[in-house]
Amino acid sequence: MRRRPLAATAAAMLGLASSLVAGLVTAIPASGAPPQFEHLKPGAQPELAERVPLNVVLLGYKPGSVDLAALNGALPVNHKPKQITRLLAGIDETIGLDYTYDYRLRYADQSYQNTFFRKLSELARPVEVNAVQARYNAQQNNKLDVTANHEIDAPSVEKWLAFNPPAGVDTKQNTVYLINWYDRPDFKFHVYTKTDEIDPDTGQNFGKYASRAMNAWGGTTAADEESGLGDTRRVWFHDLSAGPEQFGGAENVDDADLDGDNKPDWRIPPAWEYAADGYRSPAALTSDLGKLLSTVVVQGIVTASPTYPVELTVAKASTVNLDSNTYEGWPDSNRYLKPELLTSELSEVLPGIELSFDQQNLPYDGEAKRCVEDWLRNVSCYPETNLPPFANMYLQNKRDLDKVLDDKGEVDYELPIFTYAMTQENLPWLGYAGDNWSDGSPGFVYTWLSPQYIGWGYGATSTMIHEIGHHIGLSHPHDGYDSRTNKFFEPTGDYYFTWLGGYSNSVMNYMQVNYDFGQFDQDNLAKFRAAALIEAANALAADVLASPTADRGYADLIRADKLIGQVKGRLAEHDYQLTRQLADQAYAAVAEAAHKAGVSVQKFEAEQKRQAEAERAHAPAPHKPGIAPVTPRRG
């Protein structure tokens, strides 16, 4: 994949940030008393609020088939993201972001719809009925058989919708197109595909698999190397009349349980199944689309929750080392990892951080081999810990960590990555972003590689990008935190339909049709980092004010206060990267105040982490890993 330099964009943003900060008043109260702050909240959580716009445009739906008032009423009014791994460890922890939604729902006019569907018809390429559609045709209770299939390039449709919106719709804001071609006389059976991005290690083109045929897509960035939009847009579309597709379960209208857990799995069927004698009643259409928008779009994609506490990984870091270690049970494995590509992709979602990578090979023997093989046999290699077998890799690598980390003191954050190169077949997982099996804090990143995986087309690079994405705070687009139930959701049971979130341009999905972080990944992580930086600034400010020489830092605290005001202003304007930059400057201003007041920032950061761990030491250890892995899929 081709790489594009980000220096020009970063320089432009820094220039804008500097112009916003220029001229800030830093006058100290004449009395020498502690200053009064409007935005800096010493010792408190950040208070970052955003009124999030979300345009919803219906294309092809018959007037009245979707009740817009009822649909609007089914959507969340507010949402406060929470730390997912903390939640799974029994700890309720918000991050200081508070979203209120501004929904703008509309049917597109007939002229616009005619233009769009002409374009869709032009893009449709006749192909045979695919294997997934054939399985649907073989169902006992299917409404009809799919015939004369067509493939449509998903990025082309996204780009057209991004730059040809209906009048009054700004696609720089979050915009969802709900499409239903089936009710029109020019309808063609069709699926969406993305076939322009191959696995960087094996050359496998998963986009050509029938299992990767989609009914939704979006989230492409301006600079995406394969299908970049050229300008920032925030578009996702869902086509009820496409497919049926596999990931969301629309191919199966016979079986209640799709994943084998003996519980019925809720899915959104294709448009023609909304019929009196179909899988779903036509009266259910509005509520079904409400679930799609509420959970997949709002809480899974647009305003997601972080997997791990960002403040413990990359929030305050300016240098990060990716410390890769391969247990060589299969010595030929390193040629299936591209470090330059890995750091290049991560740099797109971690602007302002200097990334480095180092690799060492370790013998696959002793405790390392025993603990992995015990895990595969579902046996704990450290039974005295009372932790399940899946904790084996964490416990073993934690004990040997000093033999691995080699950049201590040279970088702000060092991330241990462990790859198990094995010759065994039928390994259960490709990778896992592990926690610390205590309080939901980030642990290590693990990947597995084997000749069988390579034969199936799975290299190490894309898996590693995905799992590091989790470690630094990004969740899957098909799972997350549901503020309505105050619970983590994943695609099973009543939430099975959230697999549809995977039809988005993000390496965080399970599709393997792209290896980039998408626009919504970049937006969310920028906001997570901003919130973590403001929280740290507030905490450090409290220490500064407690110092007997606090007055020496008053001017810098006032500057930080003004900067946080700018953070709030840029967040309100949905300028997320500048929001993050200004938050970084605010923390730096408080750190300068600490330096002048004789408060050690290094000791402060170490003490913060120590206190957090001590306070949460009583929390029960989770009995299952917090974040699901990238499971290998074929077909």
Side-chain angles (χ1 to χ4, degrees), residues 493-574:
D494 290 343
Y495 288 94
Y496 193 90
F497 70 98
T498 63
W499 277 119
L500 296 175
Y503 297 147
S504 56
N505 200 333
S506 169
V507 70
M508 302 311 297
N509 65 28
Y510 277 17
M511 297 292 291
Q512 285 96 19
V513 298
N514 64 290
Y515 307 105
D516 309 276
F517 294 101
Q519 186 61 52
F520 300 112
D521 294 329
Q522 294 187 12
D523 292 347
N524 282 314
L525 190 54
K527 289 185 281 188
F528 298 160
R529 290 175 65 190
L533 285 161
I534 299 304
E535 182 175 19
N538 286 344
L540 182 55
D543 283 4
V544 173
L545 292 174
S547 169
T549 54
D551 59 311
R552 298 175 185 176
Y554 285 171
D556 291 301
L557 293 181
I558 294 171
R559 181 161 57 92
D561 181 59
K562 300 291 186 181
L563 281 163
I564 295 173
Q566 295 284 3
V567 167
K568 294 178 177 180
R570 301 319 297 175
L571 179 60
E573 294 297 320
H574 323 300

Side-chain angles (χ1 to χ4, degrees), residues 325 327 362 367-368 371-372 382 391-404 416-420 444-446:
N325 307 273
Y327 289 108
L362 305 172
E367 286 290 278
C371 285
V372 169
Y382 300 108
N392 288 1
M393 285 72 69
Y394 173 74
L395 295 170
Q396 177 263 313
N397 283 298
K398 184 180 180 182
R399 294 184 181 199
D400 295 335
L401 201 57
D402 287 339
K403 302 176 184 177
V404 170
I417 305 165
F418 299 98
T419 297
Y420 293 87
F444 312 139
V445 164
Y446 314 92

Side-chain angles (χ1 to χ4, degrees), residues 186-206:
D186 53 354
F187 170 70
K188 300 175 181 179
F189 286 111
H190 62 289
V191 295
Y192 295 94
T193 62
K194 186 179 189 298
T195 59
D196 60 357
E197 199 162 350
I198 62 175
D199 186 280
D201 301 317
T202 68
Q204 180 65 266
N205 193 335
F206 287 99

Side-chain angles (χ1 to χ4, degrees), residues 231-251:
D231 195 13
T232 299
R233 294 294 187 271
R234 296 176 171 88
V235 167
W236 189 77
F237 68 85
H238 173 268
D239 187 342
L240 195 72
S241 58
E245 46 72 45
Q246 176 176 304
F247 267 63
E251 63 172 322

